[in-house]
Amino acid sequence: MPKLRISILVLCFFLVSPFSADAQKAADEEVGLVYRKEAVGGLLLHTRGFGFHFRYGIQKTYLNKLSFGFDLVNMRSPKEIKVYNPTYDDGKGYFYGKMNGIIVFRPFIGSRRIVFQKLRDQGVEVGFNWGVGPSFSFAKPVYLQIIHLTQNDVIISDEKYDPVIHNTDNIYGRSNWGFGLSEMKTYIGGAVKFGLHFEFSPEEDLIRAFETGMVLDVYPQKVPIMANDQNKPYFLTLYLNFIFGRKYF
């Protein structure tokens, strides 16, 4: 009987050992996958322009990250239509009726939560993001090249666009981008964003992903882009964000 008991114990040891080793290996791999920090950036396309995105994330729980970052984007009006002076073939295109070029800077704090984890290296991790923070709209006046006719010559000068005196007949084209920088105005408001996140990098420490979602920028007054009264005190945009980055312990 003692020999039989010893044989049974030895047999059980050999049967259990592989499973125990596999379990230990899986546990070690799971621990190795926990990265505490990440830094990402990328190109941001939205329904009224494009720009750049940066985010720094800190792991709070296994499925949640605290996020800090910013978006820097331009903001166009849906009414912008590029036109040319038909009289001059070498005139530069411009947006008739546009008073200001808008750049929006959004610093934010938020969170990213994982909903579906990767099941394999070639899989896709799905989660959602949200963020809130201030929104700064920088409005730079539009300058145009204006035609002045004299008895003997044609003079072209750079002038701030004035819808009262400037029209398609006396506008030659757009001025260089640097005109108007010293006259820039700032509009301060708030922003909230929400998006879905799809991460598909096969490397554990690298991030390759895209996000899609919406952003609402709200201001206490209208942000003037066009010369008409159709400007709004808010921007509601849909976005697609291509993200590249790295995870850190």
Side-chain angles (χ1 to χ4, degrees), residues 5-206:
R5 290 177 181 177
I6 294 174
S7 300
I8 293 174
L9 290 174
V10 172
L11 178 61
C12 290
F13 173 79
F14 283 108
L15 289 175
V16 173
S17 293
F19 296 101
S20 177
D22 289 343
Q24 183 63 40
K25 181 178 179 181
D28 292 341
E29 290 177 352
E30 183 176 351
V31 171
L33 291 175
V34 179
Y35 293 87
R36 299 299 180 186
K37 303 174 184 178
E38 66 180 28
V40 301
L43 175 65
L44 193 157
L45 306 177
H46 64 92
T47 48
R48 297 181 64 170
F50 65 94
F52 303 95
H53 167 84
F54 175 80
R55 183 179 71 241
Y56 181 78
I58 301 174
Q59 196 85 30
K60 303 302 291 183
T61 66
Y62 187 68
L63 297 177
N64 287 279
K65 286 186 174 68
L66 178 65
S67 298
F68 306 88
F70 67 86
D71 297 333
L72 182 65
V73 300
N74 71 333
M75 194 67 63
R76 295 196 292 253
S77 168
K79 303 296 183 180
E80 292 184 22
I81 300 176
K82 181 175 284 190
V83 297
Y84 296 84
N85 190 315
T87 306
Y88 301 90
D89 294 335
D90 55 348
K92 298 178 181 179
Y94 65 97
F95 296 101
Y96 184 68
K98 183 172 182 176
M99 294 185 63
N100 292 287
I102 305 296
I103 299 293
V104 177
F105 175 66
R106 305 187 194 104
F108 66 83
I109 181 172
S111 177
R112 182 166 77 87
R113 179 175 177 82
I114 299 173
V115 179
F116 300 106
Q117 296 177 280
K118 289 183 182 179
L119 298 180
R120 57 186 185 278
D121 290 342
Q122 301 298 326
V124 177
E125 179 183 278
V126 181
F128 64 86
N129 303 325
W130 65 266
V132 295
S135 178
F136 302 91
S137 278
F138 301 99
K140 185 183 75 68
V142 170
Y143 270 71
L144 299 172
Q145 294 181 327
I146 305 301
I147 301 168
H148 296 278
L149 300 176
T150 66
Q151 290 183 346
N152 301 318
D153 201 359
V154 176
I155 299 174
I156 297 178
S157 62
D158 295 291
E159 301 176 16
K160 183 193 297 187
Y161 172 63
D162 185 341
V164 176
I165 61 176
H166 299 150
N167 52 61
T168 55
D169 293 327
N170 61 17
I171 297 176
Y172 178 76
R174 70 179 182 275
S175 299
N176 292 331
W177 185 84
F179 283 98
L181 283 175
S182 61
E183 304 171 63
M184 186 178 295
K185 294 183 179 180
T186 304
Y187 298 83
I188 303 176
V192 59
K193 62 186 300 184
F194 178 85
L196 297 177
H197 181 96
F198 303 89
E199 203 277 313
F200 51 84
S201 174
E203 294 86 0
E204 294 180 3
D205 61 333
L206 298 181

Side-chain angles (χ1 to χ4, degrees), residues 39-43 53-54 200 206-210 241-246:
V40 301
L43 175 65
H53 167 84
F54 175 80
F200 51 84
L206 298 181
I207 298 175
R208 301 288 185 271
F210 70 89
N241 194 5
F242 300 93
I243 296 173
F244 305 91
R246 182 177 292 274

Side-chain angles (χ1 to χ4, degrees), residues 207-227:
I207 298 175
R208 301 288 185 271
F210 70 89
E211 293 178 8
T212 182
M214 62 182 297
V215 182
L216 177 63
D217 299 275
V218 180
Y219 304 91
Q221 61 190 107
K222 294 181 179 181
V223 180
I225 299 179
M226 306 300 290

